[in-house]
Each structure stands twice: as C-alpha cells, then as structure tokens.
Amino acid sequence: MHKVWFLILAISILTLFLWQSLDGKLYWHEVRFLYASTQFTMADTLSGKFNPHQMGGEIDEVGASGFYLAKALHIWTLKQFFSFFPPASGGFTLASWVSVMLIMCSAVIVYHIMKKLFDRYVDPLFALYCFILAPVTPYLSGKILSEIPSLFLILTCIWVFILLTQGKTGPFKIGFVACAVLLTVTAFYRLDVIITYFGFLISAIVFCPGTLQRKKTIQSGTIVTTLFVMFYFGALHYFYIDPKVIVVYFKNFYSLEVKSVAMSIFGVICFGGMVYFLLLVAAFFVKKREVLFLLSWFILTICPMTLITVNYM
C-alpha cells in the first residue's frame, strides 16, 4: 500500500511538472538564442554583431561578444540541432522536450549525489523532491536556455568527483581528467555555473570527516582545477579569443539597473519557494556537519552569482 501511494505521488508531481514546464510561454533569452543560432554564423554571433542588448540598459559589441562567449557551446549545439530539426517544423518543440529530459536526468544525479554523501543521514528522496519542487526547476525546464545543459554537466562532474575521491582509485586516474573535461564543457555552455563546483569543493574540504579524506579531496581538487584552467584557457588561445571580452560582459551586466533590492529579495525567495522551509525543517534531523556542509555549499555558490546579478535579478 505504501508503494502505491508513493507511485501516485510521483505520477502527480511528474504531471504537474510537465504541465508547468511545457506551458508554451517563452523566456526572452530563448528568443535570443533561437535567433542567434538560426540567423547568424558563429563568427558573427561571437563577435557581438547580433546585439539586442540586455533588459535595463545597452551593452556594446564587446559586452555582447562576452555574453555569447560565456554560452558559446550552447549556441553551437542549438545551431546543429536546428539544422537537422528546423524550429518551424517541430524542432523547437522537440528541443523543449530535450530540455525536460535533461532536467529529469539532472534530478536523478541529484538523488545519487545525496545518496553517496549522506546515505546514513538524509533520505535521498527528500533531496530529489526539494530539487523538483523548487519553483525555478519547472520554470527553467522545457526552455532552450543554457542553464539546462550546464546544470546536467556540472552535476555529472560533481558526481564523478565524489565517486573517485571516496573510492579506492588514486587521484591520478583518468577519472579526474574526465572531471576537468566536464568542467570545461560546462564553462563553454554557461561560464558562471562552474561556481557550483568550486563551492562544492571548498565545502567538501572544510567539512571532510577525516584528515585522510580531506588530503585526498585537496589533492584531487587541485588536479582537476589545474587541468580545467589548462583546458579552458588553452581552448580560448586555440580559437584566438581574448578572455577580456568576458570580463567586459560581466562588468556591463553588473552595471545594469532594473530592479530594486526588495524585488531582488522577492525573486530569490521565489526561486526556492517551499524548499527553504523544508531545508530548515531538515536541519533538525541531520547531523550538524552535514547541515553546515550544505549551507556552506549553498552560500559559496549563490553569493558570487547574486553579486553578478544584484541589479538584474
């Protein structure tokens, strides 16, 4: 009987999730990505020639170039996808379904990450429900935004990192190269999402349960980070791309003036919804170290992103 009710609950949540995700409404950047990937070459896009500006203020071509460079692989992927499946012939709908599938795959990875980290203390299903019930998840799902593939990639990177650091394999195995590759690919899908990995790494080092595990995490994190820096800047050098354009974009983005502080706070609350309350309740049932780890990971991830979007979110 317990399994029947669990199945009914899962189907109900999935139905509501799909209904919200595929509501037919478009986000502004979906139109921007669609137009950039179908009407312009990659060279024109990355040079900033397609520049509809940001909401709240104009940005120059250098800033526009940085915007697309921070999401270059996402635009390239859309360009290849829509060349086989034109948007007007069902390609856009198909891309929306692919987005939903990636979010569902990300949810599965979230479950396994929490199961690996807190199998004795936290029900991984609780973490899975928190991920699905957060309002921002169905909001982003079904949209052709760069957040979707980058979320899947960064979670996969963290999962592989956990498996390798908690296993018996040495830190110089090929798995750490795989982590660095995943981190690099994530950066080219959406650069700011890699903050999630570094927030996790710092928190994992600080709240490691033992000295030996902490040493292995530091060693592994150093290797992965070093490889990532080599791969990312090596790719920029190979394609003759100046990293300064990314800095200009983020500076322009930070200087936009759209919403008041009160509206920004309201936006942060809406992103998490009831999940904030559920996490507060969980704090009374989870060991202190695990709570501090999750809190540290959250703060180290959200604070840099909040500073970047303080005038926009």
Side-chain angles (χ1 to χ4, degrees), residues 152-169:
F152 171 76
L153 288 165
I154 200 67
L155 287 173
T156 304
C157 174
I158 291 172
W159 185 29
V160 173
F161 186 88
I162 292 171
L163 291 175
L164 291 170
T165 53
Q166 291 189 357
K168 296 181 180 180
T169 55

Side-chain angles (χ1 to χ4, degrees), residues 44-226:
D44 286 343
T45 301
L46 294 181
S47 66
K49 290 183 178 180
F50 174 49
N51 183 15
H53 304 297
Q54 292 288 140
M55 183 178 71
E58 295 185 356
I59 56 175
D60 56 24
E61 282 196 3
V62 177
S65 175
F67 171 87
Y68 295 115
L69 179 59
K71 308 163 185 66
L73 197 52
H74 180 63
I75 298 172
W76 182 86
T77 303
L78 290 177
K79 183 176 286 291
Q80 307 312 309
F81 185 88
F82 288 136
S83 67
F84 287 99
F85 309 100
S89 302
F92 189 86
T93 301
L94 182 59
S96 298
W97 275 102
V98 172
S99 173
V100 173
M101 293 300 106
L102 282 175
I103 281 289
M104 290 184 175
C105 291
S106 298
V108 173
I109 297 174
V110 167
Y111 172 84
H112 284 288
I113 287 175
M114 293 303 167
K115 185 177 181 180
K116 190 68 177 176
L117 288 175
F118 311 121
D119 191 33
R120 292 176 297 167
Y121 307 119
V122 179
D123 187 346
L125 285 175
F126 179 78
L128 179 61
Y129 282 130
C130 284
F131 177 82
I132 295 175
L133 292 175
V136 69
T137 303
Y139 172 75
L140 290 175
S141 179
K143 294 178 173 59
I144 58 170
L145 298 174
S146 55
E147 287 90 338
I148 307 301
S150 58
L151 175 64
F152 171 76
L153 288 165
I154 200 67
L155 287 173
T156 304
C157 174
I158 291 172
W159 185 29
V160 173
F161 186 88
I162 292 171
L163 291 175
L164 291 170
T165 53
Q166 291 189 357
K168 296 181 180 180
T169 55
F172 296 99
K173 298 296 183 179
I174 192 65
F176 293 97
V177 177
C179 281
V181 170
L182 284 167
L183 196 58
T184 305
V185 174
T186 301
F188 280 106
Y189 264 100
R190 187 177 179 91
L191 181 59
D192 52 2
V193 171
I194 65 172
I195 297 173
T196 305
Y197 165 79
F198 291 106
F200 165 81
L201 179 60
I202 295 172
S203 301
I205 292 172
V206 173
F207 296 102
C208 263
T211 304
L212 185 61
Q213 183 64 33
R214 179 178 290 108
K215 182 179 179 180
K216 189 173 184 180
T217 303
I218 293 173
Q219 187 179 24
S220 303
T222 302
I223 294 171
V224 171
T225 302
T226 302

